[in-house]
Amino acid sequence: MAKAKILVVDDDPDFVEAMRLTLEPNDYGVISAASGDEGLAKVKSETPDLVILDVIMSSVLDGLQMSQRMQEDSGHKRIPILMVTSIANTDYAALFPTDEYIHIDGFLSKPVPPDVLLQRISELLQSTA
Amino acid sequence: MNKQLPFSLYPRLTERTDQLIQLRWGVVTGALAASFGADFLFPDSLPMPILIVIAAVITIYNGLFLLYASRLHTTTSKDPERLYMRFANVQIMVDIIALTVLLHFTAGIENPFYLFYIVYITAASILLPRVYSFLYAGFASILFSALVVAEYWQLIPHIHLAGFVSPQRYQRGLYVTVVLFALVGTLFICAHLASAIAEVLRRREKELMESNLSCEVRAGELARLNARLAELDKARSQFIRLVTHELRAPVAAIQSYLRLILDGYVPPERQMEIIQKSERRALEQLALISDLLDLARLQEKRDETEPELIDVADILHGVTDLMQARAEDKDLLFSVEVEPDLPPVRARPEHVKRLWTNLISNAIKYTEPGGIVVVSLLQNPNYVVGVVRDTGIGMMPEQMPRLFEEFYRTEEAKAMERQGTGLGLSIVKRIVESYGGRIWVESEKGKGSKFSFALPKAA
């Protein structure tokens, strides 16, 4: 099986590091980006198999915008997005623009237990395979 | 020329002049019916043709009043109140004259309907300013007295109602005098009482209108305050969400690292490094919490200590040693220029120290080795002005407005220096503004930044 490539988009380097520590021993290739713009560029240049995205980066909606931009590009529409964020619960739903479609395949709250993360990733990769 | 009412009774006036017209229809109909009734019961006792003529005259002028009233209701005059008052005056005056004429043809003093004058005096008291009540009481008294006296002296004929009372009554001087005294006295007392009551009612009405008005004004103010509070509440919720996010992030990072170590994801040779990273996040969290506390304290303005007269230069010199050392570590050129004889400002020393530390350490943090940081302190007519200039990373114009927002850090700043709560400049701004000063920034991306603050000189 070819090694799946995962793009981690988060402005917190420790979170990226934790992702690497979790994913690399499990035979995933990890690339990272610190902002939505950088993430989009990496999506284009590296075509990852899955994107792990933090919703709130430097600007509150950076992550959301990136997921929307990915939907606009037919080639990247199929890439599953796993949203990981410290937004704790639905109380914070007010942060999101309610009338916009947000494409997310999975939603996990930080901190993510490594086994849960690995399981969700393998589920998502299988469903799109 | 009309005396104005103490406040606008205009809506009441339109209503009441209409009521007068209505009343007059009733009176004419009633008087005619009574006359025909009396004529039927006591034939030839009343001068019916004259009575019918008088009733016709009253009907005609009442019709004219009605026409005029309908025109008046659609008036475009600037002072409709004055027109209505004039209208009320005309009506009452014409009625008093008509009543006197009617009384003359229905036996003068023999006819107890002279009591009807009281109705007009009361109407005048309700409709018009107080002085008019007395004017009309006087007017009615003079007219009726003139009638009675003229009949007494036989200047005009007396018309006797057969079989009603003794035909000689109008010739009895004492009787005539007593009736006139009684009527005139009654009219004036009526004018006094009715106008006094009307005055009180008008005042009440005025107070009510004023209090209604002020209630409306207050309701408007409350609505505005409410909107402002809702706005503040929204901003506060937004802030709390941001704070929660900022506080959660380091804990989440530390927990992730610890979990990875515990679950055996981290090879032994990297464990020390991961623990160090965790500790750095813990320290970052502590710094964030203490900054948040400072911010909250500044916001509450509940400082234990009173602001005192301080020398901003002294405090600057107090921090320069530490800053000089940090700048040298980073191979920066650091210099301080202080204008002599600066006046004191009124502030808390720990706040001014915080001001200098935050601004200078930012300058050092965001300037590449080999750069320059210059701190200067000067004065203008009203302010002591501190300036911190660097040759650091600078920023783009669109980033500057957000610079003092809580948690805002530019991408470039984050890339250059991971650590930072994003609260330093918010704290600085709050400090400066709490003393009535202001802070501003000039910057060019890649060239450097210049932060200036002005604190008012102590009076």
Side-chain angles (χ1 to χ4, degrees):
Chain A
M1 180 181 129
K3 218 166 98 170
K5 202 192 280 179
I6 296 176
L7 170 64
V8 180
V9 186
D10 197 305
D11 61 346
D12 185 335
D14 287 319
F15 181 76
V16 176
E17 177 73 41
M19 289 286 142
R20 272 187 203 284
L21 284 167
T22 315
L23 298 172
E24 278 171 352
N26 284 281
D27 277 340
Y28 291 114
V30 177
I31 48 175
S32 68
S35 71
D37 286 342
E38 197 190 335
L40 272 175
K42 289 256 167 88
V43 165
K44 285 196 180 103
S45 62
E46 309 260 349
T47 20
D49 300 296
L50 184 137
V51 175
I52 296 176
L53 187 61
D54 181 16
V55 202
I56 301 180
M57 285 183 280
S58 62
S59 67
V60 169
L61 298 174
D62 204 7
L64 290 179
Q65 272 156 12
M66 182 182 155
S67 79
Q68 279 161 356
R69 295 269 295 281
M70 277 174 67
Q71 295 317 299
E72 287 159 15
D73 188 326
S74 56
H76 304 131
K77 231 180 191 165
R78 298 289 309 273
I79 301 176
I81 299 172
L82 180 58
M83 200 152 266
V84 181
T85 176
S86 19
I87 293 177
N89 53 43
T90 47
D91 285 354
Y92 297 95
L95 268 176
F96 298 101
T98 48
D99 55 346
E100 281 172 56
Y101 172 69
I102 300 161
H103 174 82
I104 306 164
D105 299 282
F107 196 95
L108 287 175
S109 177
K110 278 185 193 174
V112 194
D115 46 345
V116 174
L117 179 74
L118 289 167
Q119 202 200 324
R120 289 307 298 276
I121 288 174
S122 83
E123 280 169 16
L124 282 174
L125 288 173
Q126 260 160 35
S127 70
T128 52
Chain B
M1 47 178 263
N2 270 318
K3 196 180 157 223
Q4 289 291 298
L5 291 171
F7 78 109
S8 176
L9 270 180
Y10 173 61
R12 290 279 169 280
L13 271 173
T14 63
E15 222 173 87
R16 298 247 161 86
T17 48
D18 285 353
Q19 275 173 3
L20 268 183
I21 295 169
Q22 301 281 330
L23 179 71
R24 203 170 292 112
W25 293 131
V27 169
V28 170
T29 316
L32 268 182
S35 306
F36 279 115
D39 190 50
F40 176 75
L41 290 175
F42 314 100
D44 299 327
S45 64
L46 286 170
M48 285 308 287
I50 293 168
L51 288 187
I52 289 166
V53 168
I54 294 171
V57 169
I58 294 175
T59 306
I60 289 166
Y61 79 66
N62 206 31
L64 291 174
F65 285 159
L66 192 66
L67 273 178
Y68 182 70
S70 68
R71 264 186 50 196
L72 206 50
H73 288 341
T74 55
T75 182
T76 50
S77 159
K78 281 202 192 79
D79 194 1
E81 194 180 314
R82 209 178 66 90
L83 292 179
Y84 270 100
M85 274 179 57
R86 198 176 62 189
F87 186 36
N89 271 314
V90 169
Q91 287 195 60
I92 290 165
M93 211 180 306
V94 173
D95 277 338
I96 288 172
I97 295 167
L99 177 63
T100 311
V101 173
L102 192 64
L103 285 172
H104 169 64
F105 289 107
T106 51
I109 200 156
E110 290 170 28
N111 187 346
F113 271 97
Y114 55 70
L115 292 174
F116 218 73
Y117 284 118
I118 292 170
V119 172
Y120 295 110
I121 304 311
T122 314
S125 306
I126 294 167
L127 281 170
L128 300 164
R130 195 153 188 205
V131 63
Y132 285 90
S133 319
F134 296 104
L135 279 178
Y136 284 117
F139 181 59
S141 301
I142 289 165
L143 276 191
F144 188 64
S145 305
L147 171 73
V148 170
V149 169
E151 286 183 13
Y152 176 78
W153 280 333
Q154 297 180 339
L155 300 175
I156 52 170
H158 174 73
I159 293 151
H160 175 64
L161 297 186
F164 186 49
V165 291
S166 145
Q168 279 81 41
R169 195 177 265 194
Y170 80 101
Q171 283 297 327
R172 292 208 182 134
L174 185 62
Y175 175 74
V176 168
T177 314
V178 170
V179 167
L180 280 183
F181 260 110
L183 181 67
V184 170
T186 308
L187 289 183
F188 275 92
I189 288 167
C190 170
H192 172 74
L193 285 178
S195 62
I197 292 167
E199 200 105 301
V200 171
L201 288 178
R202 271 176 215 156
R203 207 169 51 232
R204 294 265 164 79
E205 201 163 12
K206 183 188 176 191
E207 283 164 6
L208 198 67
M209 270 165 68
E210 279 171 353
S211 91
N212 278 350
L213 201 71
S214 74
C215 278
E216 270 167 41
V217 169
R218 242 171 272 157
E221 271 167 27
L222 276 178
R224 263 197 305 283
L225 268 177
N226 223 353
R228 174 89 190 108
L229 276 178
E231 221 169 80
L232 282 175
D233 195 54
K234 209 178 142 198
R236 205 187 56 126
S237 312
Q238 191 82 24
F239 181 70
I240 288 171
R241 272 188 224 121
L242 270 172
V243 170
T244 317
H245 181 261
E246 294 293 325
L247 285 177
R248 224 181 126 87
V251 181
I254 293 167
Q255 201 275 341
S256 297
Y257 280 148
L258 294 179
R259 188 78 254 159
L260 287 166
I261 293 172
L262 289 172
D263 287 357
Y265 283 88
V266 186
E269 70 276 13
R270 290 200 62 198
Q271 285 185 1
M272 186 57 92
E273 175 207 336
I274 297 302
I275 291 171
Q276 277 166 352
K277 282 183 175 171
S278 303
E279 199 217 2
R280 209 190 54 215
R281 293 306 291 261
L283 290 173
E284 194 186 303
Q285 174 104 344
L286 285 175
L288 176 62
I289 290 169
S290 70
D291 274 1
L292 278 172
L293 283 174
D294 284 347
L295 208 60
R297 225 174 276 141
L298 276 165
Q299 201 163 23
E300 281 169 7
K301 290 179 177 169
R302 251 195 297 144
D303 269 276
E304 317 72 49
T305 57
E306 278 297 301
E308 48 193 280
L309 287 179
I310 52 162
D311 184 346
V312 183
D314 270 357
I315 294 173
L316 173 60
H317 291 311
V319 303
T320 43
D321 278 353
L322 178 69
M323 293 297 155
Q324 179 89 48
R326 277 204 212 169
E328 275 166 15
D329 281 350
K330 238 186 132 178
D331 206 11
L332 297 173
L333 205 66
F334 181 78
S335 71
V336 176
E337 299 158 0
V338 177
E339 216 179 88
D341 304 323
L342 287 173
V345 302
R346 194 172 287 281
R348 291 175 191 85
E350 67 275 17
H351 281 172
V352 178
K353 186 176 172 191
R354 188 71 193 261
L355 203 57
W356 283 125
T357 324
N358 282 12
L359 290 177
I360 300 171
S361 59
N362 272 356
I364 294 170
K365 236 196 259 184
Y366 301 116
T367 303
E368 300 284 357
I372 303 167
V373 172
V374 180
V375 179
S376 37
L377 186 58
L378 41 130
Q379 62 173 313
N380 67 27
N382 298 315
Y383 294 90
V384 171
V385 181
V387 181
V388 179
R389 236 174 318 170
D390 62 53
T391 57
I393 57 174
M395 64 205 108
M396 291 180 276
E398 61 268 27
Q399 292 172 322
M400 286 193 246
R402 294 196 57 197
L403 204 58
F404 297 100
E405 275 175 27
E406 285 90 0
F407 304 115
Y408 179 78
R409 297 179 74 207
T410 67
E411 289 304 313
E412 296 76 12
K414 274 190 225 168
M416 186 161 177
E417 184 68 45
R418 273 258 322 125
Q419 305 246 26
T421 60
L423 290 176
L425 285 176
S426 320
I427 292 173
V428 163
K429 186 169 193 260
R430 289 249 173 100
I431 290 175
V432 172
E433 287 177 353
S434 75
Y435 296 116
R438 53 179 288 253
I439 179 158
W440 66 100
V441 61
E442 293 147 82
S443 181
E444 200 177 324
K445 189 163 166 55
K447 294 269 177 69
S449 303
K450 179 183 167 190
F451 283 86
S452 314
F453 65 87
L455 289 172
K457 292 176 179 173

